[in-house]
Amino acid sequence: MGTGGEQRRGEAYDAELDDAVVRAQKGDEEAFAVAYRMVQPGLLGYVRGLVGDDAEDVASDAWLEIARDLGRFRGDGAGFRGWTAVIARHRALDHLRKLKRRPTVTLIEQDVLQLPGGHDTAAAALESLSTRAALEIIGRLPREQAEAVLLRVVVGLDGAATARVLGKRAGAVRTSAYRGLKRLAEQLYPGSAAGAVTNRVSRTLGHEE
């Protein structure tokens, strides 16, 4: 499906998430469970990329904070995904500081395979991201590229939201995401196919901000 169809799916996904968050903020526990189910797979995949096998515990701590501070959140469904990613990243980095370890990228395949539909078009440019080969390649990317790709493709954030999570300029994050996705394309697709995928990624990243 073309970019327009992917964008409509993403908008529908975020609209559903937005509705769930609004109802959850009013005390609807079932709505909070819906928001959790929509966000958790991508969030867990991102956290696992930072802390490895400790991801479940770190993500649980993040959700405790998300639930506690939900009333203070202001924004739509897309904003909620970015907000939860910021909280999860802080909990992951706190965890690593306690262990005196640097972030790693060690995605587990099922976390990506469980992602709900409707993520951004950069994800669609690399349909085989859920394959083991792609995940191994992400693990070999420089940290800034790997984290940008995780946030873009696994969590489903756009470039501006990814920049806010990482505390960097949008242009720098867009460059990191492009380079990481380009490297993925070059290793996942032979010859000219890699160029076609790279061009699609470039168009996506160049027009979203």
Side-chain angles (χ1 to χ4, degrees):
M1 184 177 291
T3 300
E6 293 154 5
Q7 181 176 353
R8 286 191 294 273
R9 286 204 310 273
E11 290 171 351
Y13 170 87
D14 282 332
E16 181 181 356
L17 179 58
D18 187 19
D19 178 68
V21 171
V22 169
R23 289 187 289 115
Q25 288 180 312
K26 296 177 181 178
D28 188 331
E29 294 183 1
E30 183 176 343
F32 184 82
V34 170
Y36 173 85
R37 288 194 296 270
M38 295 181 74
V39 173
Q40 169 66 355
L43 199 68
L44 181 61
Y46 172 54
V47 173
R48 195 180 299 280
L50 295 177
V51 303
D53 292 340
D54 296 332
E56 294 276 0
D57 290 340
V58 173
S60 294
D61 289 342
W63 277 104
L64 288 174
E65 184 173 343
I66 291 165
R68 184 194 70 198
D69 295 342
L70 183 62
R72 288 190 253 169
F73 170 72
R74 297 292 181 271
D76 57 11
F80 182 75
R81 286 189 284 115
W83 181 67
T84 58
V86 170
I87 291 174
R89 186 172 193 264
H90 287 166
R91 296 290 70 76
L93 295 180
D94 285 346
H95 178 77
L96 290 168
R97 276 191 289 269
K98 290 176 184 177
L99 298 177
K100 295 183 179 179
R101 281 168 34 196
R102 290 182 58 81
T104 58
V105 180
T106 55
L107 279 176
I108 301 300
E109 188 172 25
Q110 59 263 30
D111 293 331
V112 179
L113 293 175
Q114 291 170 359
L115 285 174
H119 287 290
D120 65 27
T121 52
L126 292 167
E127 285 91 349
S128 63
L129 183 64
S130 59
T131 64
R132 187 175 303 277
L135 300 179
E136 290 175 353
I137 295 168
I138 290 177
R140 296 196 295 269
L141 294 175
R143 178 187 162 188
E144 65 275 8
Q145 293 180 20
E147 197 167 359
V149 170
L150 288 171
L151 287 166
R152 290 302 316 276
V153 180
V154 178
V155 181
L157 302 184
D158 63 19
T162 298
R164 288 193 293 271
V165 172
L166 298 177
K168 296 183 178 181
R169 292 182 296 104
V173 170
R174 185 169 61 246
T175 298
S176 292
Y178 171 77
R179 288 175 177 170
L181 289 168
K182 181 174 183 289
R183 186 173 299 185
L184 280 173
E186 289 171 348
Q187 297 192 44
L188 286 171
Y189 298 92
S192 61
V197 173
T198 298
N199 288 338
R200 184 177 174 185
V201 170
S202 179
R203 288 194 300 271
T204 297
L205 298 180
H207 288 89
E208 67 176 5
E209 260 58 71

